[in-house]
Amino acid sequence: MKYAPLLLLLLLTACGSNQPAEPAETAATATPAAPASPDEVRLSPAQQKAAGLESGAFVWKNMTSDVQANGVIDVPPQNMASISAIMGGYVQRVAVLPGQRVAKGGTVAVLRHPDYIQLQQQYLQSKARVQFLTQELERQKILDAEDVGAKRKLQQARADYAAEQATLRATSAQLQLLGVPLGRLNQGHITPTVALTSPIGGYVKSVSINPGQYVSPQDVLAEVVNRSELYLELKVFERDIAKVKVGQRVLFKIPSRGSNEDLAARVFLVGKAFNDGPQRTVSVHARLEPERDDVLPGQYVSAHIQTAGRRQPTLPEDAVVQAGEFSYIFSQTSPGTYRRHRVQTGPAENGDVAITLLDANTDTTRLIRHGAYFLDAEMKKGQEEE
């Protein structure tokens, strides 16, 4: 029995070795310690994995700053024609409809009036009288050369000829303005109607006449727009106009299209005077690049003029938390510990935003490039629990 105590000790040791071990995950899932600062947040390894955090440094890019401006799509004045009658008359026929394509010199309407006939009559009578006075002047020259006729008659013949020539030229010019073909008129064909034609090629914007209506030279009967040189006319406020230069790129949207598509233009003219009105604005003109046929003159646009850029540190927009007056980014100070830093944001482009640090001594080598909103939510959760 002298071996009994030793046997008992061996049995107790064997029983102790069968106790279950603690799970290895206990340390990994343990709640992280409270942060030392209200600008810090601590995450467990599981939380870090769930957040998909990515760290890195700033990326330096040439970022452009934008000047916001509103305006309309317009055409140069020479590409818009208001068509009126040279002489009053009655509308016999309307040849176009709004939206219809019309060529330069194409007929818009046909007018009639007795005055057109009378003017052609005056032309033919004046032409005949010029022929007579030409012959009379030649006779007086012959008589004067033979010293038979009086000087006064030669002078009178010259004066009558010159006066009638002036009348014929004036009448001819009036008929040409009306559009009466002089070739047919010289053959004796008098027409009671004249065609109202377009001085430019383009699309009919409006028609404000109908058959039987009397129109006067003051009335605008139709408008034609040539859309080949569409441009933006933007209104830029006084505080921003010094930043705008010829050659700068413009990105704009047309709200009425119901699309978020960015269209492009380039500044070719900056106004040198303020526009009339309560707001002090200057007109800036930008030519579409490329020219488009799916936009219309008069459409409202919202534009961003890209002024001269400079190289700036940037982070993805996902790395910046907007919070009132300031914005925030995060950096990793140690494993599982992250610190918030105040920043000022600049222009954004292609998903990146320019960053200006407001807190000194910020480690910019381990900035959080993705997952900042997760960190912000965890920080707020911890502050609420306290």
Side-chain angles (χ1 to χ4, degrees), residues 121-135 164 168:
Q121 178 187 357
Q122 292 175 1
Y123 170 82
L124 292 175
Q125 290 174 343
S126 181
K127 182 181 178 183
R129 183 165 172 76
V130 165
Q131 291 174 349
F132 167 76
L133 291 174
T134 301
Q135 296 170 356
E164 199 60 40
L168 179 62

Side-chain angles (χ1 to χ4, degrees), residues 188-226:
H189 299 286
I190 295 179
T191 175
T193 61
V194 297
L196 197 65
T197 60
S198 174
I200 63 173
Y203 291 88
V204 179
K205 179 182 179 182
S206 63
V207 177
S208 53
I209 53 175
N210 54 268
Q213 177 183 350
Y214 178 81
V215 296
S216 64
Q218 293 78 25
D219 299 327
V220 176
L221 312 184
E223 291 182 299
V224 176
V225 177
N226 182 345

Side-chain angles (χ1 to χ4, degrees), residues 328-382:
Y328 297 93
I329 63 173
F330 287 85
S331 69
Q332 185 175 11
T333 57
S334 61
T337 304
Y338 303 88
R339 186 174 186 83
R340 184 176 67 174
H341 306 278
R342 293 183 310 156
V343 297
Q344 190 173 49
T345 58
E349 187 175 333
N350 299 325
D352 294 323
V353 60
I355 300 295
T356 301
L357 291 170
L358 299 180
D359 293 341
N361 301 321
T362 300
D363 182 4
T364 60
T365 62
R366 304 190 69 185
L367 299 175
I368 300 303
R369 295 181 59 83
H370 294 286
Y373 280 92
F374 182 90
L375 294 174
D376 184 64
E378 289 297 319
M379 177 177 290
K380 290 178 180 177
K381 185 191 302 183

Side-chain angles (χ1 to χ4, degrees), residues 73 203 227 230 252 254 256-257 259 261-264 288-297 299:
I73 296 176
Y203 291 88
R227 305 188 343 166
L230 293 176
F252 68 97
I254 304 177
S256 62
R257 288 166 64 96
S259 168
E261 178 188 7
D262 273 328
L263 307 180
L288 303 188
E289 289 188 348
E291 293 187 1
R292 306 181 66 98
D293 57 4
D294 58 345
V295 297
L296 299 174
Q299 283 184 310

